[in-house]
Amino acid sequence: MARVPYLDCAATTQVDPRVAELVMRFMVEEFGNAGSRTHTYGAAAQREVNSARERIAATLAASPEEIIFTSGATESDNLAILGLAEAGLESGRRHIVTTAIEHKAVLEPVEHLKTRGFDATLVCPDRLGHVAAGEVLGAVRPDTLLVSVMHANNETGALQPVDAIAEGLANLGDGDGPYFHVDAAQSYGKETGELRNTRIDLISISGHKVFAPKGVGALLARRRRGRRPPLRPLMHGGGQERGLRPGTLPVPLIAGLGLAAELAEAERAERARACRRIRAAALEAFAPLAPVVHADPSRVLPNILSIAFPGLDAEALMVALKDMAAVSNGSACTSERYSLSHVLEAMGLPSEIVSGTVRMSWSHATPAVPWERIADAIGLMA
Ligand code: PLP
């Protein structure tokens, strides 16, 4: 089957060959169980897990023992949100502030907590897809347990003001103020600066968005004034990951995530430059078609373009482009059941723009994209 250029890196990325080599080594040579304490196979596996923990912690200005390995950002989000539920019930803090544009991996656990007596405020974005820090902070109440705001939206690439929210929470001056969770599945490895803000208590990351394999992620649970967030496990078993995520550690995947994290950090500026060049070329080719481009250009991930062409439906566009590029109409995670994007709807866009939006996303490793040909094909449809 002929392969067209892959423009869906926000859904998943290829594994970096350097990462794949390391993963392979820990699958076929160093295959020990990191929990085995009686032989060198176990020790080698444990060393690699420790090294991955250190590599990831270094990118987030955190301590290695604050990293909990999970199966991906969905699990990390669930652990951050549902894992705090008992603490909320015990302390009487049963209010959550989040946004209407979160991934379902945040919205659904929050929805679930509503069935357990919690109350949630969902802050809406502006028409470009950005929430205002002031609105998030304004929704915080004395009984707010958790504030959860994504760093970069997976459909539009719009960056959210997590730094300003963290500063605002710090200025509340209350050591017991709400926990702050950031779903950084899309921004991790790309916009790590803000994620180093120590008032962000919990950060979810995903391996397969940063050139590591699928099936691995991490939750950073940062100590605040020496105290860990009072998470409770969602599963019970062998006590791994300080009891918060029991189960035999997937050493090859963890090794891969560790190396991918380090590479992303080391190559961050150069990768961003490559992505910005691709975005500029796409926008130049599409300009004559007068598209609607979502997200403020000064506050968007350089590898995501969320775009609508007046009068054109996203489904028809994807069919027309199928032999030219692999694009998507938004989130891969919800595309099994076709429904309109809750993100674009929350932005208050007209329905023809919501149903006309496609997402094109790439990486520094994306080979030349025939933007002019793509633009010509779209132009012929109009
Ligand atoms: N959160 C965001 C913002 C995402 O984009 C995704 C994946 O698309 C997830 C969470 C879920 O990540 P994972 O596939 O690692 O479970």
Side-chain angles (χ1 to χ4, degrees):
M1 192 174 72
R3 303 307 284 282
V4 296
Y6 179 75
L7 294 181
D8 206 8
C9 289
T12 197
T13 58
Q14 77 220 73
V15 176
D16 184 307
R18 294 166 290 183
V19 172
E21 199 185 316
L22 184 69
V23 171
M24 195 66 173
R25 179 149 76 80
F26 279 89
M27 289 203 293
V28 300
E29 290 170 33
E30 302 288 1
F31 54 83
N33 185 327
S36 299
R37 306 201 176 276
T38 52
H39 47 68
T40 55
Y41 295 87
Q46 183 63 56
R47 259 199 313 280
E48 188 60 24
V49 169
N50 291 345
S51 147
R53 218 185 278 288
E54 280 162 19
R55 284 170 152 168
I56 296 164
T59 64
L60 295 169
S63 308
E65 69 280 6
E66 293 172 332
I67 303 291
I68 303 159
F69 288 113
T70 64
S71 61
T74 299
E75 187 185 338
S76 300
D77 288 344
N78 274 266
L79 182 56
I81 297 164
L82 301 178
L84 284 175
E86 292 307 317
L89 292 171
E90 284 161 13
S91 64
R93 293 198 292 168
R94 296 180 191 179
H95 178 238
I96 297 170
V97 178
T98 187
T99 81
I101 57 168
E102 296 302 308
H103 192 274
K104 297 284 180 184
V106 165
L107 290 176
E108 291 190 10
V110 168
E111 204 49 41
H112 174 75
L113 285 186
K114 287 203 217 153
T115 67
R116 296 181 61 191
F118 284 79
D119 179 22
T121 303
L122 264 63
V123 174
C124 281
D126 60 19
R127 280 174 90 84
L128 288 175
H130 305 268
V131 296
E135 275 189 53
V136 172
L137 293 165
V140 171
R141 314 192 306 218
D143 65 337
T144 303
L145 171 72
L146 174 69
V147 175
S148 180
V149 177
M150 70 193 334
H151 192 194
N153 183 268
N154 48 301
E155 295 189 30
T156 63
L159 287 163
Q160 309 304 327
V162 295
D163 212 18
I165 296 168
E167 289 311 311
L169 291 172
N171 290 339
L172 291 179
D174 175 1
D176 288 328
Y179 295 99
F180 184 26
H181 168 241
V182 172
D183 176 346
Q186 292 292 340
S187 65
Y188 180 71
K190 303 185 183 89
E191 292 282 338
T192 23
E194 297 203 355
L195 299 175
R196 298 202 181 98
N197 190 317
T198 54
R199 185 57 183 79
I200 305 177
D201 303 291
L202 298 150
I203 298 178
S204 300
I205 69 170
S206 171
H208 72 102
K209 311 286 187 187
V210 285
F211 312 96
K214 293 160 191 59
V216 67
L219 177 67
L220 163 65
R222 216 193 287 273
R223 283 195 202 86
R224 195 183 335 150
R225 299 187 178 171
R227 290 216 304 267
R228 294 181 190 277
L231 294 174
R232 305 276 169 84
L234 307 183
M235 296 184 290
H236 301 271
Q240 290 90 344
E241 300 300 89
R242 287 182 296 102
L244 284 170
R245 208 292 185 161
T248 300
L249 293 175
V251 180
L253 301 182
I254 289 173
L257 177 56
L259 178 57
E262 190 172 272
L263 291 171
E265 201 51 38
E267 299 172 2
R268 192 157 50 85
E270 174 191 328
R271 290 182 182 187
R273 265 196 302 278
C275 288
R276 275 198 296 271
R277 274 198 298 274
I278 299 176
R279 196 169 201 275
L283 287 172
E284 193 184 324
F286 293 144
L289 303 171
V292 175
V293 177
H294 306 308
D296 173 344
S298 67
R299 291 181 290 155
V300 67
L301 285 180
N303 67 313
I304 295 184
L305 178 62
S306 175
I307 192 167
F309 300 93
L312 297 184
D313 179 67
E315 292 292 309
L317 257 172
M318 285 187 298
V319 171
L321 296 183
K322 148 168 123 345
D323 298 327
M324 258 175 268
V327 303
S328 100
N329 62 339
S331 160
C333 323
T334 46
S335 54
E336 265 177 33
R337 45 199 153 88
Y338 183 71
S339 56
L340 287 180
S341 153
H342 69 281
V343 173
L344 300 173
E345 287 197 317
M347 285 158 62
L349 299 169
S351 60
E352 66 275 16
I353 299 295
V354 174
S355 59
T357 296
V358 289
R359 178 184 71 184
M360 302 179 186
S361 53
W362 47 83
S363 81
H364 61 283
T366 300
V369 181
W371 291 118
E372 298 294 341
R373 254 183 73 215
I374 295 175
D376 287 348
I378 298 172
L380 287 175
M381 293 174 69

